[in-house]
Each structure stands twice: as structure tokens, then as C-alpha cells.
PDB file of all heavy atoms in Angstrom:
ATOM      1  N   ARG Q1371      -2.282  -0.078   6.248  1.00 95.00           N
ATOM      2  CA  ARG Q1371      -3.020   0.600   7.318  1.00 95.00           C
ATOM      3  C   ARG Q1371      -2.108   0.934   8.498  1.00 95.00           C
ATOM      4  O   ARG Q1371      -2.172   2.037   9.058  1.00 95.00           O
ATOM      5  CB  ARG Q1371      -4.181  -0.283   7.801  1.00 95.00           C
ATOM      6  CG  ARG Q1371      -5.016   0.385   8.903  1.00 95.00           C
ATOM      7  CD  ARG Q1371      -6.129  -0.525   9.384  1.00 95.00           C
ATOM      8  NE  ARG Q1371      -5.645  -1.660  10.124  1.00 95.00           N
ATOM      9  CZ  ARG Q1371      -5.378  -1.651  11.445  1.00 95.00           C
ATOM     10  NH1 ARG Q1371      -5.544  -0.534  12.141  1.00 95.00           N
ATOM     11  NH2 ARG Q1371      -4.954  -2.734  12.057  1.00 95.00           N
ATOM     12  N   LYS Q1372      -1.253  -0.007   8.874  1.00 95.00           N
ATOM     13  CA  LYS Q1372      -0.409   0.193  10.049  1.00 95.00           C
ATOM     14  C   LYS Q1372       0.697   1.211   9.811  1.00 95.00           C
ATOM     15  O   LYS Q1372       1.401   1.591  10.757  1.00 95.00           O
ATOM     16  CB  LYS Q1372       0.182  -1.134  10.493  1.00 95.00           C
ATOM     17  CG  LYS Q1372      -0.861  -2.110  11.023  1.00 95.00           C
ATOM     18  CD  LYS Q1372      -0.228  -3.379  11.546  1.00 95.00           C
ATOM     19  CE  LYS Q1372      -1.275  -4.320  12.133  1.00 95.00           C
ATOM     20  NZ  LYS Q1372      -0.677  -5.564  12.667  1.00 95.00           N
ATOM     21  N   ALA Q1373       0.852   1.658   8.559  1.00 96.00           N
ATOM     22  CA  ALA Q1373       1.885   2.649   8.241  1.00 96.00           C
ATOM     23  C   ALA Q1373       1.329   4.048   8.087  1.00 96.00           C
ATOM     24  O   ALA Q1373       2.078   5.014   8.006  1.00 96.00           O
ATOM     25  CB  ALA Q1373       2.599   2.259   6.955  1.00 96.00           C
ATOM     26  N   MET Q1374       0.010   4.174   8.050  1.00 96.00           N
ATOM     27  CA  MET Q1374      -0.589   5.481   7.796  1.00 96.00           C
ATOM     28  C   MET Q1374      -0.554   6.343   9.063  1.00 96.00           C
ATOM     29  O   MET Q1374      -0.495   5.818  10.165  1.00 96.00           O
ATOM     30  CB  MET Q1374      -2.027   5.305   7.312  1.00 96.00           C
ATOM     31  CG  MET Q1374      -2.132   4.467   6.052  1.00 96.00           C
ATOM     32  SD  MET Q1374      -1.238   5.135   4.632  1.00 96.00           S
ATOM     33  CE  MET Q1374      -2.544   6.119   3.891  1.00 96.00           C
ATOM     34  N   PRO Q1375      -0.619   7.687   8.951  1.00 96.00           N
ATOM     35  CA  PRO Q1375      -0.706   8.456   7.709  1.00 96.00           C
ATOM     36  C   PRO Q1375       0.649   8.680   7.057  1.00 96.00           C
ATOM     37  O   PRO Q1375       1.695   8.498   7.675  1.00 96.00           O
ATOM     38  CB  PRO Q1375      -1.321   9.776   8.170  1.00 96.00           C
ATOM     39  CG  PRO Q1375      -0.809   9.934   9.566  1.00 96.00           C
ATOM     40  CD  PRO Q1375      -0.754   8.546  10.140  1.00 96.00           C
ATOM     41  N   GLN Q1376       0.611   9.084   5.791  1.00 97.00           N
ATOM     42  CA  GLN Q1376       1.813   9.451   5.069  1.00 97.00           C
ATOM     43  C   GLN Q1376       2.166  10.913   5.354  1.00 97.00           C
ATOM     44  O   GLN Q1376       1.357  11.666   5.887  1.00 97.00           O
ATOM     45  CB  GLN Q1376       1.604   9.261   3.559  1.00 97.00           C
ATOM     46  CG  GLN Q1376       1.282   7.835   3.157  1.00 97.00           C
ATOM     47  CD  GLN Q1376       0.780   7.727   1.735  1.00 97.00           C
ATOM     48  OE1 GLN Q1376       0.567   8.731   1.051  1.00 97.00           O
ATOM     49  NE2 GLN Q1376       0.586   6.500   1.262  1.00 97.00           N
ATOM     50  N   SER Q1377       3.383  11.302   4.970  1.00 97.00           N
ATOM     51  CA  SER Q1377       3.822  12.692   5.133  1.00 97.00           C
ATOM     52  C   SER Q1377       4.261  13.261   3.792  1.00 97.00           C
ATOM     53  O   SER Q1377       4.897  12.572   2.996  1.00 97.00           O
ATOM     54  CB  SER Q1377       4.993  12.787   6.115  1.00 97.00           C
ATOM     55  OG  SER Q1377       4.571  12.526   7.436  1.00 97.00           O
ATOM     56  N   GLY Q1378       3.918  14.524   3.562  1.00 97.00           N
ATOM     57  CA  GLY Q1378       4.300  15.199   2.336  1.00 97.00           C
ATOM     58  C   GLY Q1378       3.413  14.884   1.160  1.00 97.00           C
ATOM     59  O   GLY Q1378       3.528  15.513   0.096  1.00 97.00           O
ATOM     60  N   ASN Q1379       2.499  13.938   1.323  1.00 97.00           N
ATOM     61  CA  ASN Q1379       1.660  13.496   0.213  1.00 97.00           C
ATOM     62  C   ASN Q1379       0.699  14.572  -0.284  1.00 97.00           C
ATOM     63  O   ASN Q1379       0.268  14.545  -1.442  1.00 97.00           O
ATOM     64  CB  ASN Q1379       0.888  12.221   0.580  1.00 97.00           C
ATOM     65  CG  ASN Q1379       0.170  12.319   1.907  1.00 97.00           C
ATOM     66  OD1 ASN Q1379       0.619  13.021   2.814  1.00 97.00           O
ATOM     67  ND2 ASN Q1379      -0.929  11.614   2.053  1.00 97.00           N
ATOM     68  N   SER Q1380       0.365  15.534   0.569  1.00 97.00           N
ATOM     69  CA  SER Q1380      -0.564  16.583   0.138  1.00 97.00           C
ATOM     70  C   SER Q1380       0.057  17.496  -0.917  1.00 97.00           C
ATOM     71  O   SER Q1380      -0.652  18.210  -1.623  1.00 97.00           O
ATOM     72  CB  SER Q1380      -1.015  17.424   1.332  1.00 97.00           C
ATOM     73  OG  SER Q1380       0.083  18.128   1.897  1.00 97.00           O
ATOM     74  N   GLN Q1381       1.396  17.474  -1.044  1.00 97.00           N
ATOM     75  CA  GLN Q1381       2.077  18.326  -2.002  1.00 97.00           C
ATOM     76  C   GLN Q1381       2.288  17.650  -3.355  1.00 97.00           C
ATOM     77  O   GLN Q1381       2.800  18.279  -4.288  1.00 97.00           O
ATOM     78  CB  GLN Q1381       3.434  18.768  -1.441  1.00 97.00           C
ATOM     79  CG  GLN Q1381       3.341  19.520  -0.120  1.00 97.00           C
ATOM     80  CD  GLN Q1381       2.442  20.734  -0.211  1.00 97.00           C
ATOM     81  OE1 GLN Q1381       2.649  21.593  -1.058  1.00 97.00           O
ATOM     82  NE2 GLN Q1381       1.445  20.807   0.654  1.00 97.00           N
ATOM     83  N   ALA Q1382       1.901  16.392  -3.478  1.00 98.00           N
ATOM     84  CA  ALA Q1382       2.051  15.692  -4.756  1.00 98.00           C
ATOM     85  C   ALA Q1382       1.042  16.232  -5.766  1.00 98.00           C
ATOM     86  O   ALA Q1382      -0.008  16.776  -5.409  1.00 98.00           O
ATOM     87  CB  ALA Q1382       1.856  14.195  -4.560  1.00 98.00           C
ATOM     88  N   ASP Q1383       1.356  16.065  -7.039  1.00 97.00           N
ATOM     89  CA  ASP Q1383       0.496  16.540  -8.125  1.00 97.00           C
ATOM     90  C   ASP Q1383      -0.314  15.417  -8.757  1.00 97.00           C
ATOM     91  O   ASP Q1383      -1.374  15.660  -9.336  1.00 97.00           O
ATOM     92  CB  ASP Q1383       1.346  17.194  -9.212  1.00 97.00           C
ATOM     93  CG  ASP Q1383       2.146  18.370  -8.700  1.00 97.00           C
ATOM     94  OD1 ASP Q1383       1.534  19.291  -8.121  1.00 97.00           O
ATOM     95  OD2 ASP Q1383       3.379  18.376  -8.861  1.00 97.00           O
ATOM     96  N   LEU Q1384       0.198  14.205  -8.663  1.00 98.00           N
ATOM     97  CA  LEU Q1384      -0.388  13.060  -9.354  1.00 98.00           C
ATOM     98  C   LEU Q1384      -0.167  11.821  -8.500  1.00 98.00           C
ATOM     99  O   LEU Q1384       0.910  11.650  -7.914  1.00 98.00           O
ATOM    100  CB  LEU Q1384       0.292  12.908 -10.725  1.00 98.00           C
ATOM    101  CG  LEU Q1384      -0.014  11.683 -11.575  1.00 98.00           C
ATOM    102  CD1 LEU Q1384      -1.470  11.664 -12.001  1.00 98.00           C
ATOM    103  CD2 LEU Q1384       0.897  11.666 -12.812  1.00 98.00           C
ATOM    104  N   TYR Q1385      -1.180  10.964  -8.428  1.00 98.00           N
ATOM    105  CA  TYR Q1385      -1.101   9.754  -7.616  1.00 98.00           C
ATOM    106  C   TYR Q1385      -1.484   8.549  -8.474  1.00 98.00           C
ATOM    107  O   TYR Q1385      -2.498   8.573  -9.175  1.00 98.00           O
ATOM    108  CB  TYR Q1385      -2.049   9.815  -6.425  1.00 98.00           C
ATOM    109  CG  TYR Q1385      -1.925  11.054  -5.568  1.00 98.00           C
ATOM    110  CD1 TYR Q1385      -2.548  12.247  -5.935  1.00 98.00           C
ATOM    111  CD2 TYR Q1385      -1.205  11.038  -4.374  1.00 98.00           C
ATOM    112  CE1 TYR Q1385      -2.450  13.383  -5.158  1.00 98.00           C
ATOM    113  CE2 TYR Q1385      -1.099  12.174  -3.580  1.00 98.00           C
ATOM    114  CZ  TYR Q1385      -1.723  13.346  -3.985  1.00 98.00           C
ATOM    115  OH  TYR Q1385      -1.635  14.474  -3.206  1.00 98.00           O
ATOM    116  N   TYR Q1386      -0.684   7.479  -8.389  1.00 98.00           N
ATOM    117  CA  TYR Q1386      -1.047   6.193  -8.961  1.00 98.00           C
ATOM    118  C   TYR Q1386      -1.157   5.194  -7.815  1.00 98.00           C
ATOM    119  O   TYR Q1386      -0.217   5.054  -7.019  1.00 98.00           O
ATOM    120  CB  TYR Q1386       0.027   5.679  -9.910  1.00 98.00           C
ATOM    121  CG  TYR Q1386       0.187   6.415 -11.210  1.00 98.00           C
ATOM    122  CD1 TYR Q1386       1.124   7.442 -11.334  1.00 98.00           C
ATOM    123  CD2 TYR Q1386      -0.561   6.075 -12.332  1.00 98.00           C
ATOM    124  CE1 TYR Q1386       1.302   8.106 -12.534  1.00 98.00           C
ATOM    125  CE2 TYR Q1386      -0.392   6.739 -13.539  1.00 98.00           C
ATOM    126  CZ  TYR Q1386       0.541   7.752 -13.633  1.00 98.00           C
ATOM    127  OH  TYR Q1386       0.725   8.412 -14.830  1.00 98.00           O
ATOM    128  N   GLU Q1387      -2.273   4.473  -7.741  1.00 98.00           N
ATOM    129  CA  GLU Q1387      -2.387   3.402  -6.758  1.00 98.00           C
ATOM    130  C   GLU Q1387      -2.693   2.102  -7.499  1.00 98.00           C
ATOM    131  O   GLU Q1387      -3.599   2.048  -8.333  1.00 98.00           O
ATOM    132  CB  GLU Q1387      -3.468   3.692  -5.724  1.00 98.00           C
ATOM    133  CG  GLU Q1387      -3.506   2.632  -4.624  1.00 98.00           C
ATOM    134  CD  GLU Q1387      -4.305   3.030  -3.397  1.00 98.00           C
ATOM    135  OE1 GLU Q1387      -4.975   4.095  -3.432  1.00 98.00           O
ATOM    136  OE2 GLU Q1387      -4.276   2.280  -2.399  1.00 98.00           O
ATOM    137  N   ILE Q1388      -1.927   1.043  -7.164  1.00 98.00           N
ATOM    138  CA  ILE Q1388      -2.018  -0.236  -7.862  1.00 98.00           C
ATOM    139  C   ILE Q1388      -1.859  -1.358  -6.838  1.00 98.00           C
ATOM    140  O   ILE Q1388      -1.085  -1.239  -5.883  1.00 98.00           O
ATOM    141  CB  ILE Q1388      -0.921  -0.379  -8.935  1.00 98.00           C
ATOM    142  CG1 ILE Q1388      -0.824   0.892  -9.801  1.00 98.00           C
ATOM    143  CG2 ILE Q1388      -1.174  -1.592  -9.821  1.00 98.00           C
ATOM    144  CD1 ILE Q1388       0.281   0.834 -10.837  1.00 98.00           C
ATOM    145  N   PRO Q1389      -2.556  -2.482  -7.026  1.00 96.00           N
ATOM    146  CA  PRO Q1389      -2.386  -3.613  -6.103  1.00 96.00           C
ATOM    147  C   PRO Q1389      -0.990  -4.223  -6.193  1.00 96.00           C
ATOM    148  O   PRO Q1389      -0.322  -4.158  -7.233  1.00 96.00           O
ATOM    149  CB  PRO Q1389      -3.437  -4.629  -6.578  1.00 96.00           C
ATOM    150  CG  PRO Q1389      -4.390  -3.871  -7.423  1.00 96.00           C
ATOM    151  CD  PRO Q1389      -3.594  -2.752  -8.031  1.00 96.00           C
ATOM    152  N   GLU Q1390      -0.590  -4.826  -5.090  1.00 95.00           N
ATOM    153  CA  GLU Q1390       0.602  -5.661  -5.046  1.00 95.00           C
ATOM    154  C   GLU Q1390       0.205  -7.023  -4.508  1.00 95.00           C
ATOM    155  O   GLU Q1390      -0.965  -7.296  -4.256  1.00 95.00           O
ATOM    156  CB  GLU Q1390       1.688  -5.019  -4.186  1.00 95.00           C
ATOM    157  CG  GLU Q1390       2.261  -3.755  -4.793  1.00 95.00           C
ATOM    158  CD  GLU Q1390       3.522  -3.271  -4.098  1.00 95.00           C
ATOM    159  OE1 GLU Q1390       3.875  -3.849  -3.043  1.00 95.00           O
ATOM    160  OE2 GLU Q1390       4.150  -2.324  -4.594  1.00 95.00           O
ATOM    161  N   GLU Q1391       1.192  -7.878  -4.307  1.00 92.00           N
ATOM    162  CA  GLU Q1391       0.915  -9.224  -3.808  1.00 92.00           C
ATOM    163  C   GLU Q1391       0.277  -9.180  -2.424  1.00 92.00           C
ATOM    164  O   GLU Q1391       0.488  -8.248  -1.651  1.00 92.00           O
ATOM    165  CB  GLU Q1391       2.199 -10.059  -3.766  1.00 92.00           C
ATOM    166  CG  GLU Q1391       3.299  -9.508  -2.890  1.00 92.00           C
ATOM    167  CD  GLU Q1391       4.203  -8.519  -3.605  1.00 92.00           C
ATOM    168  OE1 GLU Q1391       3.851  -8.027  -4.686  1.00 92.00           O
ATOM    169  OE2 GLU Q1391       5.274  -8.234  -3.045  1.00 92.00           O
ATOM    170  N   GLY Q1392      -0.538 -10.188  -2.136  1.00 91.00           N
ATOM    171  CA  GLY Q1392      -1.166 -10.271  -0.823  1.00 91.00           C
ATOM    172  C   GLY Q1392      -2.357  -9.355  -0.654  1.00 91.00           C
ATOM    173  O   GLY Q1392      -2.880  -9.234   0.450  1.00 91.00           O
ATOM    174  N   GLY Q1393      -2.781  -8.665  -1.726  1.00 92.00           N
ATOM    175  CA  GLY Q1393      -3.943  -7.785  -1.631  1.00 92.00           C
ATOM    176  C   GLY Q1393      -3.638  -6.373  -1.207  1.00 92.00           C
ATOM    177  O   GLY Q1393      -4.523  -5.522  -1.214  1.00 92.00           O
ATOM    178  N   VAL Q1394      -2.377  -6.096  -0.826  1.00 95.00           N
ATOM    179  CA  VAL Q1394      -2.025  -4.734  -0.433  1.00 95.00           C
ATOM    180  C   VAL Q1394      -1.881  -3.877  -1.679  1.00 95.00           C
ATOM    181  O   VAL Q1394      -1.857  -4.368  -2.809  1.00 95.00           O
ATOM    182  CB  VAL Q1394      -0.721  -4.707   0.395  1.00 95.00           C
ATOM    183  CG1 VAL Q1394      -0.840  -5.596   1.605  1.00 95.00           C
ATOM    184  CG2 VAL Q1394       0.477  -5.113  -0.457  1.00 95.00           C
ATOM    185  N   THR Q1395      -1.800  -2.577  -1.486  1.00 97.00           N
ATOM    186  CA  THR Q1395      -1.548  -1.659  -2.597  1.00 97.00           C
ATOM    187  C   THR Q1395      -0.330  -0.813  -2.274  1.00 97.00           C
ATOM    188  O   THR Q1395       0.169  -0.817  -1.140  1.00 97.00           O
ATOM    189  CB  THR Q1395      -2.742  -0.722  -2.853  1.00 97.00           C
ATOM    190  OG1 THR Q1395      -2.872   0.187  -1.752  1.00 97.00           O
ATOM    191  CG2 THR Q1395      -4.029  -1.501  -3.052  1.00 97.00           C
ATOM    192  N   ARG Q1396       0.125  -0.096  -3.269  1.00 97.00           N
ATOM    193  CA  ARG Q1396       1.157   0.911  -3.050  1.00 97.00           C
ATOM    194  C   ARG Q1396       0.776   2.140  -3.849  1.00 97.00           C
ATOM    195  O   ARG Q1396       0.127   2.042  -4.899  1.00 97.00           O
ATOM    196  CB  ARG Q1396       2.524   0.394  -3.497  1.00 97.00           C
ATOM    197  CG  ARG Q1396       3.658   1.303  -3.039  1.00 97.00           C
ATOM    198  CD  ARG Q1396       4.771   0.523  -2.406  1.00 97.00           C
ATOM    199  NE  ARG Q1396       4.296  -0.219  -1.245  1.00 97.00           N
ATOM    200  CZ  ARG Q1396       4.963  -1.227  -0.690  1.00 97.00           C
ATOM    201  NH1 ARG Q1396       6.118  -1.619  -1.212  1.00 97.00           N
ATOM    202  NH2 ARG Q1396       4.505  -1.841   0.367  1.00 97.00           N
ATOM    203  N   ILE Q1397       1.166   3.309  -3.363  1.00 98.00           N
ATOM    204  CA  ILE Q1397       0.878   4.571  -4.033  1.00 98.00           C
ATOM    205  C   ILE Q1397       2.187   5.178  -4.524  1.00 98.00           C
ATOM    206  O   ILE Q1397       3.155   5.303  -3.754  1.00 98.00           O
ATOM    207  CB  ILE Q1397       0.176   5.559  -3.087  1.00 98.00           C
ATOM    208  CG1 ILE Q1397      -1.191   4.998  -2.664  1.00 98.00           C
ATOM    209  CG2 ILE Q1397       0.012   6.926  -3.748  1.00 98.00           C
ATOM    210  CD1 ILE Q1397      -1.857   5.786  -1.557  1.00 98.00           C
ATOM    211  N   MET Q1398       2.225   5.534  -5.797  1.00 98.00           N
ATOM    212  CA  MET Q1398       3.345   6.297  -6.319  1.00 98.00           C
ATOM    213  C   MET Q1398       2.880   7.746  -6.436  1.00 98.00           C
ATOM    214  O   MET Q1398       2.026   8.075  -7.262  1.00 98.00           O
ATOM    215  CB  MET Q1398       3.804   5.767  -7.681  1.00 98.00           C
ATOM    216  CG  MET Q1398       5.089   6.448  -8.179  1.00 98.00           C
ATOM    217  SD  MET Q1398       5.776   5.682  -9.687  1.00 98.00           S
ATOM    218  CE  MET Q1398       4.671   6.410 -10.925  1.00 98.00           C
ATOM    219  N   ALA Q1399       3.404   8.603  -5.559  1.00 98.00           N
ATOM    220  CA  ALA Q1399       3.051  10.017  -5.550  1.00 98.00           C
ATOM    221  C   ALA Q1399       4.082  10.773  -6.372  1.00 98.00           C
ATOM    222  O   ALA Q1399       5.283  10.640  -6.152  1.00 98.00           O
ATOM    223  CB  ALA Q1399       3.020  10.543  -4.115  1.00 98.00           C
ATOM    224  N   VAL Q1400       3.601  11.570  -7.327  1.00 98.00           N
ATOM    225  CA  VAL Q1400       4.497  12.254  -8.261  1.00 98.00           C
ATOM    226  C   VAL Q1400       4.480  13.750  -7.971  1.00 98.00           C
ATOM    227  O   VAL Q1400       3.415  14.380  -7.947  1.00 98.00           O
ATOM    228  CB  VAL Q1400       4.079  11.983  -9.719  1.00 98.00           C
ATOM    229  CG1 VAL Q1400       5.113  12.572 -10.674  1.00 98.00           C
ATOM    230  CG2 VAL Q1400       3.919  10.484  -9.969  1.00 98.00           C
ATOM    231  N   PHE Q1401       5.682  14.314  -7.771  1.00 98.00           N
ATOM    232  CA  PHE Q1401       5.860  15.729  -7.450  1.00 98.00           C
ATOM    233  C   PHE Q1401       6.600  16.403  -8.604  1.00 98.00           C
ATOM    234  O   PHE Q1401       7.734  16.028  -8.906  1.00 98.00           O
ATOM    235  CB  PHE Q1401       6.698  15.908  -6.184  1.00 98.00           C
ATOM    236  CG  PHE Q1401       6.159  15.253  -4.944  1.00 98.00           C
ATOM    237  CD1 PHE Q1401       6.250  13.879  -4.754  1.00 98.00           C
ATOM    238  CD2 PHE Q1401       5.586  16.025  -3.939  1.00 98.00           C
ATOM    239  CE1 PHE Q1401       5.775  13.275  -3.593  1.00 98.00           C
ATOM    240  CE2 PHE Q1401       5.114  15.434  -2.767  1.00 98.00           C
ATOM    241  CZ  PHE Q1401       5.204  14.054  -2.603  1.00 98.00           C
ATOM    242  N   GLN Q1402       5.997  17.396  -9.228  1.00 96.00           N
ATOM    243  CA  GLN Q1402       6.727  18.141 -10.239  1.00 96.00           C
ATOM    244  C   GLN Q1402       7.853  18.936  -9.602  1.00 96.00           C
ATOM    245  O   GLN Q1402       8.905  19.129 -10.215  1.00 96.00           O
ATOM    246  CB  GLN Q1402       5.778  19.087 -10.992  1.00 96.00           C
ATOM    247  CG  GLN Q1402       6.426  19.839 -12.135  1.00 96.00           C
ATOM    248  CD  GLN Q1402       6.949  18.920 -13.224  1.00 96.00           C
ATOM    249  OE1 GLN Q1402       6.341  17.897 -13.517  1.00 96.00           O
ATOM    250  NE2 GLN Q1402       8.087  19.273 -13.823  1.00 96.00           N
ATOM    251  N   ASP Q1403       7.655  19.362  -8.349  1.00 96.00           N
ATOM    252  CA  ASP Q1403       8.666  20.132  -7.628  1.00 96.00           C
ATOM    253  C   ASP Q1403       8.548  19.774  -6.149  1.00 96.00           C
ATOM    254  O   ASP Q1403       7.454  19.830  -5.582  1.00 96.00           O
ATOM    255  CB  ASP Q1403       8.423  21.630  -7.841  1.00 96.00           C
ATOM    256  CG  ASP Q1403       9.447  22.506  -7.146  1.00 96.00           C
ATOM    257  OD1 ASP Q1403      10.541  22.003  -6.825  1.00 96.00           O
ATOM    258  OD2 ASP Q1403       9.161  23.698  -6.926  1.00 96.00           O
ATOM    259  N   VAL Q1404       9.655  19.364  -5.516  1.00 96.00           N
ATOM    260  CA  VAL Q1404       9.607  18.999  -4.097  1.00 96.00           C
ATOM    261  C   VAL Q1404      10.129  20.106  -3.195  1.00 96.00           C
ATOM    262  O   VAL Q1404      10.272  19.900  -1.982  1.00 96.00           O
ATOM    263  CB  VAL Q1404      10.394  17.690  -3.815  1.00 96.00           C
ATOM    264  CG1 VAL Q1404       9.751  16.512  -4.511  1.00 96.00           C
ATOM    265  CG2 VAL Q1404      11.864  17.835  -4.204  1.00 96.00           C
ATOM    266  N   THR Q1405      10.400  21.280  -3.756  1.00 95.00           N
ATOM    267  CA  THR Q1405      10.912  22.382  -2.955  1.00 95.00           C
ATOM    268  C   THR Q1405       9.987  22.684  -1.778  1.00 95.00           C
ATOM    269  O   THR Q1405       8.784  22.852  -1.950  1.00 95.00           O
ATOM    270  CB  THR Q1405      11.058  23.647  -3.817  1.00 95.00           C
ATOM    271  OG1 THR Q1405      11.922  23.368  -4.927  1.00 95.00           O
ATOM    272  CG2 THR Q1405      11.624  24.801  -3.006  1.00 95.00           C
ATOM    273  N   ASP Q1406      10.563  22.698  -0.584  1.00 95.00           N
ATOM    274  CA  ASP Q1406       9.863  23.037   0.662  1.00 95.00           C
ATOM    275  C   ASP Q1406       8.777  22.030   1.067  1.00 95.00           C
ATOM    276  O   ASP Q1406       7.962  22.332   1.947  1.00 95.00           O
ATOM    277  CB  ASP Q1406       9.224  24.436   0.567  1.00 95.00           C
ATOM    278  CG  ASP Q1406      10.262  25.536   0.409  1.00 95.00           C
ATOM    279  OD1 ASP Q1406      11.376  25.367   0.937  1.00 95.00           O
ATOM    280  OD2 ASP Q1406       9.952  26.550  -0.252  1.00 95.00           O
ATOM    281  N   VAL Q1407       8.756  20.855   0.460  1.00 96.00           N
ATOM    282  CA  VAL Q1407       7.784  19.837   0.895  1.00 96.00           C
ATOM    283  C   VAL Q1407       8.126  19.355   2.298  1.00 96.00           C
ATOM    284  O   VAL Q1407       7.253  19.116   3.126  1.00 96.00           O
ATOM    285  CB  VAL Q1407       7.738  18.647  -0.093  1.00 96.00           C
ATOM    286  CG1 VAL Q1407       6.871  17.522   0.470  1.00 96.00           C
ATOM    287  CG2 VAL Q1407       7.194  19.102  -1.433  1.00 96.00           C
ATOM    288  N   GLY Q1408       9.413  19.193   2.588  1.00 96.00           N
ATOM    289  CA  GLY Q1408       9.829  18.742   3.913  1.00 96.00           C
ATOM    290  C   GLY Q1408       9.880  17.232   4.004  1.00 96.00           C
ATOM    291  O   GLY Q1408      10.411  16.548   3.116  1.00 96.00           O
ATOM    292  N   LYS Q1409       9.304  16.693   5.046  1.00 97.00           N
ATOM    293  CA  LYS Q1409       9.348  15.257   5.332  1.00 97.00           C
ATOM    294  C   LYS Q1409       8.460  14.493   4.355  1.00 97.00           C
ATOM    295  O   LYS Q1409       7.279  14.797   4.199  1.00 97.00           O
ATOM    296  CB  LYS Q1409       8.891  15.035   6.774  1.00 97.00           C
ATOM    297  CG  LYS Q1409       8.880  13.595   7.242  1.00 97.00           C
ATOM    298  CD  LYS Q1409       8.391  13.545   8.687  1.00 97.00           C
ATOM    299  CE  LYS Q1409       8.307  12.130   9.208  1.00 97.00           C
ATOM    300  NZ  LYS Q1409       7.779  12.094  10.610  1.00 97.00           N
ATOM    301  N   ILE Q1410       9.029  13.460   3.711  1.00 98.00           N
ATOM    302  CA  ILE Q1410       8.281  12.655   2.740  1.00 98.00           C
ATOM    303  C   ILE Q1410       8.399  11.183   3.109  1.00 98.00           C
ATOM    304  O   ILE Q1410       9.493  10.656   3.288  1.00 98.00           O
ATOM    305  CB  ILE Q1410       8.804  12.871   1.310  1.00 98.00           C
ATOM    306  CG1 ILE Q1410       8.718  14.346   0.914  1.00 98.00           C
ATOM    307  CG2 ILE Q1410       8.029  12.010   0.319  1.00 98.00           C
ATOM    308  CD1 ILE Q1410       9.316  14.647  -0.455  1.00 98.00           C
ATOM    309  N   GLY Q1411       7.267  10.501   3.217  1.00 97.00           N
ATOM    310  CA  GLY Q1411       7.292   9.072   3.533  1.00 97.00           C
ATOM    311  C   GLY Q1411       5.991   8.626   4.168  1.00 97.00           C
ATOM    312  O   GLY Q1411       5.014   9.379   4.198  1.00 97.00           O
ATOM    313  N   SER Q1412       5.949   7.431   4.732  1.00 96.00           N
ATOM    314  CA  SER Q1412       7.067   6.509   4.713  1.00 96.00           C
ATOM    315  C   SER Q1412       7.229   5.886   3.335  1.00 96.00           C
ATOM    316  O   SER Q1412       6.262   5.751   2.591  1.00 96.00           O
ATOM    317  CB  SER Q1412       6.901   5.421   5.779  1.00 96.00           C
ATOM    318  OG  SER Q1412       5.728   4.646   5.568  1.00 96.00           O
ATOM    319  N   ILE Q1413       8.474   5.531   3.026  1.00 98.00           N
ATOM    320  CA  ILE Q1413       8.850   5.104   1.682  1.00 98.00           C
ATOM    321  C   ILE Q1413       9.059   3.599   1.666  1.00 98.00           C
ATOM    322  O   ILE Q1413       9.645   3.031   2.585  1.00 98.00           O
ATOM    323  CB  ILE Q1413      10.118   5.846   1.233  1.00 98.00           C
ATOM    324  CG1 ILE Q1413       9.830   7.356   1.167  1.00 98.00           C
ATOM    325  CG2 ILE Q1413      10.632   5.326  -0.102  1.00 98.00           C
ATOM    326  CD1 ILE Q1413      11.046   8.217   0.964  1.00 98.00           C
ATOM    327  N   ARG Q1414       8.552   2.972   0.604  1.00 97.00           N
ATOM    328  CA  ARG Q1414       8.667   1.520   0.501  1.00 97.00           C
ATOM    329  C   ARG Q1414       9.205   1.107  -0.864  1.00 97.00           C
ATOM    330  O   ARG Q1414       9.656   1.922  -1.654  1.00 97.00           O
ATOM    331  CB  ARG Q1414       7.299   0.875   0.768  1.00 97.00           C
ATOM    332  CG  ARG Q1414       6.839   0.984   2.217  1.00 97.00           C
ATOM    333  CD  ARG Q1414       7.784   0.294   3.184  1.00 97.00           C
ATOM    334  NE  ARG Q1414       7.891  -1.135   2.935  1.00 97.00           N
ATOM    335  CZ  ARG Q1414       7.075  -2.058   3.439  1.00 97.00           C
ATOM    336  NH1 ARG Q1414       6.072  -1.695   4.219  1.00 97.00           N
ATOM    337  NH2 ARG Q1414       7.259  -3.329   3.181  1.00 97.00           N
ATOM    338  N   SER Q1415       9.080  -0.159  -1.143  1.00 97.00           N
ATOM    339  CA  SER Q1415       9.691  -0.757  -2.329  1.00 97.00           C
ATOM    340  C   SER Q1415       8.865  -0.522  -3.583  1.00 97.00           C
ATOM    341  O   SER Q1415       7.729  -0.048  -3.531  1.00 97.00           O
ATOM    342  CB  SER Q1415       9.861  -2.255  -2.101  1.00 97.00           C
ATOM    343  OG  SER Q1415       8.588  -2.858  -1.939  1.00 97.00           O
TER     344      SER Q1415
END
């Protein structure tokens, strides 16, 4: 929550969201092409 909003995520084609430790989640955003997307993040582990 404290990291939102993300940037560049609207240009992704596919999203996977899965839990991690401590109850948090992470999103893997998949881009077939990142041309002209610009700023992407914030990026984590």
C-alpha cells in the first residue's frame, strides 16, 4: 500500500498476483513490448 501507485502498469498485457511472506503480495506485470512505456516501477524482488 505504501508503495502505490505503480507506473507503466497500464501498458502491461498480463498480470500475475501471488502472496508472499507476511501476507503481502507481489505483481508480475508482463509486457510483450515495452516500447514507449516510459517509467516502470516501483520494482521489487
Side-chain angles (χ1 to χ4, degrees):
R1371 181 182 70 85
K1372 293 184 177 181
M1374 302 300 269
Q1376 299 167 354
S1377 289
N1379 50 330
S1380 65
Q1381 302 304 305
D1383 301 305
L1384 172 65
Y1385 308 82
Y1386 290 94
E1387 185 166 8
I1388 313 177
E1390 292 192 353
E1391 60 273 15
V1394 304
T1395 68
R1396 191 132 300 163
I1397 297 170
M1398 187 172 79
V1400 186
F1401 302 75
Q1402 184 62 36
D1403 181 20
V1404 295
T1405 303
D1406 296 329
V1407 172
K1409 180 181 178 182
I1410 302 176
S1412 61
I1413 297 170
R1414 290 299 298 273
S1415 63

